[in-house]
């Protein structure tokens, strides 16, 4: 194969990993992924269902994760390329081609999906490669359960090697590798393991135990970018946001199920008979008549008496509070504060969520720097764009709260008016994909308006 890009990814490999790759810590990580994913998809009860047991599942876990991701990315993030020693024209050209690559790969949507996945599993990953046929960079999401990594002992952010294991059918292998793989004995419908092993210097591919690729790394960097969620300072992999919500979500499901059963039984009251040997011929319903022997008593059991339901409701409300506190997502984030509050008071109430969003954005800025540097490198080396070696980008985030937009515009205008900041910098900071083009349009419009005003003054003077 002459393509720079690796073969298309197959399905997750469900068999045993090749020896020497996955450690015991990796297997525990895979198990945590599976548990968190099942919990997010609604498998939140422990043990088997008992006969007659009602099990309701209110999937607040998935809703809260999606809500936070919506605040992290209320609209797509944009990027500014630092000019460094190059001219502003080169930086502007780099911004344009980067924005085009991001749009072609639909990364605005992928960023939200990866944010959700990282929050659920604890990690997300993507792969940046070059498609030599389409002559364009390709960014694809990668299941972190297919990855193992090696890093420097004293710095988990210094990755030295990443390997990925996935499955491809015999027919897909023949199409992807052609003569590079020995297809004799491969069953077309059977899935075989494919191992891609990357270091900065080498790239190897093993298919069903046979080495089909062993060459120099065509990129000079490892094409995977891992996005860990809230990793410990000395750890490489992250932790799921659902860990703190497991118990409270299960308890909420249990209490709501009990309350639903109580209300169901109250709608179909239980008849209690005393001093009666049998209940034949006794039915509960409008107009029913009972003939009871002497000394017998009959009454309907009222499960709602004594304020029992009120205790259930109070406990459920307490669980809701715990749920929102642990997730740092106040009820106000759902558009309902439960009381009339001023704008400033609402911002204070939603402040925990804003702080959480800022923590997540700080982590994603590192991911975007790595991803964008790889994209710019591919576009210059293989795409033929003269980018002056520019690789460093700055993320321009959209406002977390709607009121922040007006404040950002006022601050930018004041900085420009006082000569502290250039108009180009202000336009870029407000989220424009093409600050140079936008500034040129503003200046052109100003010249046109000046010409019109000059013509009007001349016409008025002649009269």
């Amino acid at each position: 194969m002459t393509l720079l890009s690796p073969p298309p990814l197959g399905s997750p490999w469900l068999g045993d990993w090749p020896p020497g790759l996955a450690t015991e810590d990796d297997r525990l990580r895979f198990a945590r992924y599976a548990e968190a994913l099942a919990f997010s998809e609604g498998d939140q009860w422990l043990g088997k269902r008992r006969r007659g047991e009602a099990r309701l599942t209110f999937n607040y876990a998935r809703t809260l994760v999606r809500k936070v991701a919506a605040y992290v990315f209320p609209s797509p993030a944009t990027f500014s390329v630092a000019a460094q020693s190059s001219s502003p024209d080169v930086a502007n050209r780099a911004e344009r081609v980067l924005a085009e690559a991001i749009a072609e790969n639909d990364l605005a949507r992928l960023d939200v999906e990866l944010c959700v996945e990282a929050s659920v599993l604890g990690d997300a990953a993507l792969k940046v490669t070059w498609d030599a046929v389409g002559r364009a960079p390709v960014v694809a999401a990668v299941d972190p359960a297919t990855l193992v990594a090696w890093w420097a002992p004293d710095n988990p952010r210094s990755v030295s090697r990443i390997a990925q294991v996935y499955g491809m059918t015999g027919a897909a292998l023949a199409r992807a590798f052609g003569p590079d793989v020995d297809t004799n004995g491969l069953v077309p419908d059977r899935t075989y393991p494919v191992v891609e092993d990357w270091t900065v210097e080498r790239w190897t591919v093993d298919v069903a135990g046979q080495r089909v690729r062993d060459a120099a790394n065509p990129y000079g960097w490892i094409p995977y970018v891992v996005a860990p969620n809230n990793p410990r300072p000395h750890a490489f992999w992250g932790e799921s946001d659902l860990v703190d919500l497991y118990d409270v979500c299960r308890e909420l499901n249990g209490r709501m199920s009990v309350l639903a059963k109580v209300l169901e039984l109250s709608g179909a009251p239980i008849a209690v008979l005393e001093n009666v040997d049998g209940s034949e011929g006794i039915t509960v319903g409008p107009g029913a008549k009972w003939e009871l022997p002497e000394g017998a008593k009959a009454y309907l059991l009222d499960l709602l008496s004594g304020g029992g339901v009120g205790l259930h409701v109070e406990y459920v409300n307490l669980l809701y509070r715990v749920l929102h506190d642990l997730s740092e997502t106040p009820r106000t984030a759902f558009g309902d504060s439960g009381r009339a509050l001023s704008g400033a008071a609402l911002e204070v109430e939603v402040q925990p969520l804003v702080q959480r969003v800022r923590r997540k954005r700080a982590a994603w800025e590192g991911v975007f720097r790595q991803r964008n540097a790889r994209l710019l490198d591919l576009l210059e080396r293989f795409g033929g764009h003269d980018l002056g070696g520019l690789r460093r980008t700055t993320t321009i985030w959209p406002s977390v709260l709607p009121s922040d937009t007006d404040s950002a515009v006022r601050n930018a205008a004041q900085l420009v008016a006082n000569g502290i900041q250039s108009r180009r910098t202000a336009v870029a900071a407000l989220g424009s994909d093409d600050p140079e083009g936008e500034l040129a349009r503003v200046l052109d419009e100003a010249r046109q308006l000046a010409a019109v005003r000059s013509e009007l003054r001349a016409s008025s003077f002649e009269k």
Side-chain angles (χ1 to χ4, degrees):
M1 295 178 67
T2 59
L3 298 184
L4 286 175
S5 53
L9 298 182
S11 58
W13 174 245
L14 303 179
D16 295 333
W17 276 57
L21 287 180
T23 65
E24 184 61 27
D25 288 340
D26 288 319
R27 294 185 178 89
L28 293 175
R29 175 168 57 88
F30 301 155
R32 291 195 298 270
Y33 290 162
E35 179 186 15
L37 182 60
F39 193 88
S40 174
E41 292 178 348
D43 185 9
Q44 299 179 4
W45 286 82
L46 297 175
K48 294 183 178 180
R49 182 196 300 267
R50 297 188 300 271
R51 184 176 182 180
E53 180 186 14
R55 286 189 169 184
L56 303 179
T57 300
F58 300 88
N59 203 343
Y60 273 88
R62 182 166 59 187
T63 300
L64 289 168
V65 165
R66 290 176 174 175
K67 176 62 67 175
V68 173
Y71 273 86
V72 175
F73 295 101
S75 59
T78 56
F79 305 95
S80 173
V81 177
Q84 298 174 345
S85 59
S86 301
S87 67
D89 292 338
V90 176
N92 188 52
R93 183 164 57 249
E95 289 176 0
R96 287 200 304 271
V97 297
L98 177 61
E100 291 172 2
I102 289 173
E104 288 296 324
N105 284 275
D106 197 14
L107 296 188
R109 177 186 58 82
L110 185 61
D111 289 343
V112 178
E113 294 175 351
L114 290 176
C115 183
V116 172
E117 175 155 301
S119 298
V120 171
L121 301 183
D123 299 291
L126 52 87
K127 191 176 186 180
V128 185
T129 54
W130 179 257
D131 182 1
V133 175
R135 293 193 57 78
V138 177
V139 181
V142 175
D143 186 352
T146 65
L147 297 177
V148 291
W150 292 260
W151 53 87
D154 58 343
N155 185 5
R157 291 179 295 180
S158 178
V159 180
S160 59
R161 175 188 173 194
I162 290 183
Q164 182 181 13
V165 178
Y166 52 89
M168 295 181 70
T169 63
L173 289 171
R175 290 193 300 268
F177 293 97
D180 292 339
V181 62
D182 183 8
T183 57
N184 293 329
L186 295 182
V187 181
D189 295 335
R190 181 179 173 183
T191 301
Y192 297 91
V194 179
V195 181
E196 285 193 50
D197 200 338
W198 291 84
T199 65
V200 174
E201 296 82 14
R202 303 296 296 176
W203 169 35
T204 64
V205 180
D206 293 344
V207 175
Q210 58 175 306
R211 179 66 53 89
V212 299
R213 178 70 56 82
D214 189 351
N217 186 338
Y219 306 122
W221 35 259
I222 297 174
Y224 297 96
V225 179
V226 177
N229 183 69
N230 295 329
R232 300 174 65 187
H234 53 274
F236 178 78
W237 302 104
E239 182 181 60
S240 170
D241 285 343
L242 302 183
V243 171
D244 295 331
L245 305 182
Y246 284 159
D247 291 339
V248 64
C249 286
R250 287 181 175 129
E251 184 66 12
L252 178 61
N253 292 334
R255 292 306 96 199
M256 292 292 284
S257 299
V258 170
L259 182 57
K261 190 66 175 179
V262 170
L263 295 176
E264 179 186 358
L265 294 175
S266 299
I270 301 173
V272 180
L273 305 178
E274 294 183 1
N275 300 326
V276 175
D277 295 333
S279 60
E280 293 82 1
I282 297 178
T283 59
V284 178
K289 295 181 180 180
W290 299 349
E291 294 183 2
L292 301 176
E294 184 178 356
K297 294 181 180 180
Y299 57 90
L300 298 179
L301 182 62
D302 185 5
L303 297 178
L304 303 181
S305 63
V309 172
L311 292 176
H312 280 287
V313 173
E314 289 180 11
Y315 185 51
V316 167
N317 287 333
L318 180 60
L319 290 175
Y320 274 132
R321 178 176 176 179
V322 172
L323 185 68
H324 286 294
D325 288 348
L326 290 178
S327 64
E328 299 178 81
T329 311
R331 183 64 192 171
T332 308
F334 291 84
D336 178 21
S337 64
R339 59 193 188 278
L341 295 174
S342 65
L346 283 173
E347 290 191 10
V348 171
E349 189 164 298
V350 82
Q351 191 65 22
L353 176 60
V354 173
Q355 294 169 346
R356 184 179 187 183
V357 167
R358 287 174 178 167
R359 292 199 307 269
K360 285 188 174 292
R361 286 183 172 183
W364 279 100
E365 284 182 3
V367 174
F368 289 150
R369 280 195 298 270
Q370 296 182 58
R371 183 197 71 185
N372 294 344
R374 285 162 169 76
L375 285 173
L376 291 171
D377 190 57
L378 294 175
L379 289 166
E380 183 165 36
R381 292 170 56 198
F382 304 116
H385 295 280
D386 180 13
L387 304 181
L390 297 180
R391 301 292 183 267
R392 191 174 65 189
T393 60
T394 301
T395 306
I396 302 171
W397 291 100
S399 301
V400 179
L401 302 176
S403 61
D404 291 345
T405 304
D406 296 336
S407 177
V409 171
R410 288 194 300 269
N411 291 338
Q414 290 176 0
L415 291 172
V416 171
N418 293 324
I420 301 175
Q421 190 179 74
S422 69
R423 285 180 169 81
R424 184 194 183 281
T425 302
V427 172
L430 291 174
S432 174
D433 290 334
D434 185 13
E436 288 288 344
E438 190 66 31
L439 182 57
R441 288 187 289 271
V442 170
L443 295 175
D444 183 61
E445 190 176 85
R447 285 191 291 267
Q448 292 180 14
L449 290 174
V452 171
R453 284 195 292 267
S454 178
E455 292 178 1
L456 290 176
R457 284 196 299 268
S459 175
S460 176
F461 179 76
E462 290 176 357
K463 292 181 180 179

